[in-house]
Amino acid sequence: MNTAPSHVAVASIRGTGTGATRVLGAISLALLVWLVVSALFLTPADVVQGDSVRIMYVHVPAAWVAYLAFITTAVASGCSLVRRHRTLGFDRVAGASAEVGVLFMGMALVTGSLWGRLTWGTFWQWDPRLTTTLFLFITYVGYLAVRQVDVDPQQRARRSAVIALLAVLEIPLVHFSVVLWRSLHQEASVLNADGDVRLDDLMLFTLFSGVVAFTLVFAWLVIHRQRLTALADTERVIGLDSAIAVRRAEVAR
Amino acid sequence: MKDLGFIVASWALTLGSVGLLALVTIRRARELSSRVPDERKPWV
C-alpha cells in the first residue's frame, strides 16, 4: 500500500525565506562586516583599558539584544494570553525570541567574562551585575525548558506566557544593579543618568553600528525561527491527519 | 595588538555561535518545508 503523503508534490518552496528576509539578511551581514573592520582596525584603543575595549563592541550589543529579546518575548506572551483562542502565532514569536535572547545573553556573559579577566584580573566575581545577569540567563533557560514539556500547545502557550511576564521583571533589576549596589561593573557609558556620553565619536558610532547590526540579526533569526516552529507544528498536524486517514481506511475495509 | 587572544576569542565565539544558529535554522527550515505543502506556509 502506498502511504506516501499526497502533499509532498506541492511543497515546491524550500526554506522559510522571502524577498524581505533576504534583504534583511544581506543588510545585517554588510553591517556585521563593517562592525568587524571598524571595531578591530579603525577605532582607537581606550586610554585606560587599551585594546581590550574592542570586546565592548560585541559585549554591549549582545547584552542589548538579549534585553530586547526578553522584552519581545514578554510583549508577544501578553498578546498570546489576550488572543489565546485564535492563534499560536504570538506564542511562537515569544519562544523564538527567547531562544535568540538566551544565545545573546550567553554571549554577553562569556565576552564579559573574557573582558573581566583583562580589566579586573578575574573571569568571574559574584558582583551584583554579573550575578543578576546569570540569574536572568538561568530563568530564560528554564523558560525554554518549560516550552519543551509535551502538553497541549494552548496550555503550553498559557504557562510559558505567565513565566515570560514574570521573568521580564528581572531586566530593570539587572540594568540598575550597578546603581543600586556597589558593583565592580562600570556604570553605563552611553545611557547613563546624567546624559553625558563618555566615548570617542568613532567608538560611539561603531558601538551604535554594532547595536543596529545585532538588532537586525535578531529580527532575522526570530522571523525564521518562528516560521520554523510553525512548519514543525503543521507537519505534526499533517502526520496526525494522515495517521487518522489510514486508520479510517483500514476500519472501512 | 595587546590581549589579542581574548579579543579574537570574544569575537569568534559571538559571531560563530550566531552564524551556527543561523545555519542550523536554514537547514532545518529547508528540511521541514519540503514536507509541508506551500498553501500551509503563511509567509508564501
Side-chain angles (χ1 to χ4, degrees):
Chain A
M1 184 175 66
N2 179 20
T3 56
S6 57
H7 57 262
V8 169
V10 287
S12 60
I13 295 168
R14 303 285 305 274
T16 48
T18 57
T21 58
R22 284 184 200 104
V23 170
L24 180 64
I27 294 172
S28 309
L29 212 56
L31 269 173
L32 283 177
V33 171
W34 155 252
L35 179 66
V36 171
V37 172
S38 183
L40 295 182
F41 303 105
L42 303 181
T43 54
D46 186 70
V47 178
V48 180
Q49 300 185 36
D51 282 317
S52 72
V53 77
R54 297 181 199 285
I55 297 175
M56 172 183 75
Y57 304 109
V58 281
H59 174 72
V60 174
W64 150 258
V65 166
Y67 287 171
L68 176 69
F70 298 152
I71 292 168
T72 304
T73 296
V75 172
S77 297
C79 293
S80 91
L81 277 181
V82 173
R83 298 168 62 101
R84 67 184 183 213
H85 296 301
R86 297 184 200 172
T87 175
L88 284 170
F90 285 118
D91 175 61
R92 290 183 192 126
V93 171
S97 186
E99 285 171 356
V100 179
V102 163
L103 176 80
F104 278 96
M105 188 96 275
M107 287 306 104
L109 280 167
V110 171
T111 54
S113 180
L114 290 168
W115 196 8
R117 178 69 183 83
L118 295 175
T119 52
W120 305 333
T122 179
F123 285 107
W124 187 261
Q125 271 286 317
W126 292 103
D127 158 276
R129 169 59 71 83
L130 275 65
T131 308
T132 51
T133 304
L134 181 65
F135 189 63
L136 184 67
F137 176 75
I138 292 169
T139 303
Y140 278 90
V141 170
Y143 167 84
L144 292 180
V146 168
R147 291 190 65 86
Q148 295 303 312
V149 176
D150 193 18
V151 291
D152 167 61
Q154 294 287 353
Q155 195 180 10
R156 182 192 65 198
R158 226 169 18 250
R159 281 180 188 172
S160 47
V162 171
I163 296 170
L165 287 172
L166 291 173
V168 77
L169 300 176
E170 288 176 43
I171 290 179
L173 190 70
V174 176
H175 186 73
F176 293 111
S177 59
V178 287
V179 182
L180 293 172
W181 296 290
R182 284 155 58 96
S183 177
L184 197 59
H185 194 284
Q186 69 181 64
E187 288 187 26
S189 300
V190 181
L191 297 173
N192 50 39
D194 54 11
D196 176 29
V197 179
R198 301 158 198 155
L199 274 178
D200 164 86
D201 285 349
L202 182 60
M203 291 168 88
L204 183 64
F205 181 71
T206 306
L207 185 61
F208 180 71
S209 305
V211 168
V212 173
F214 277 38
T215 304
L216 295 184
V217 169
F218 160 73
W220 187 92
L221 282 169
V222 169
I223 290 169
H224 282 278
R225 291 199 67 79
Q226 68 92 15
R227 286 177 181 171
L228 192 61
T229 315
L231 277 179
D233 289 347
T234 307
E235 196 207 18
R236 209 170 300 125
V237 171
I238 288 171
L240 197 62
D241 289 348
S242 301
I244 291 169
V246 168
R247 184 76 185 114
R248 279 191 179 145
E250 282 173 2
V251 170
R253 223 182 298 133
Chain B
M1 194 186 279
K2 265 181 71 186
D3 313 319
L4 186 66
F6 285 86
I7 296 164
V8 170
S10 298
W11 280 82
L13 279 171
T14 305
L15 298 183
S17 56
V18 170
L20 191 67
L21 180 67
L23 207 67
V24 167
T25 303
I26 289 170
R27 288 188 67 170
R28 181 90 178 115
R30 285 191 178 161
E31 185 191 319
L32 271 180
S33 63
S34 65
R35 298 203 294 264
V36 173
D38 292 345
E39 65 269 18
R40 297 188 77 164
K41 297 168 187 162
W43 57 91
V44 173

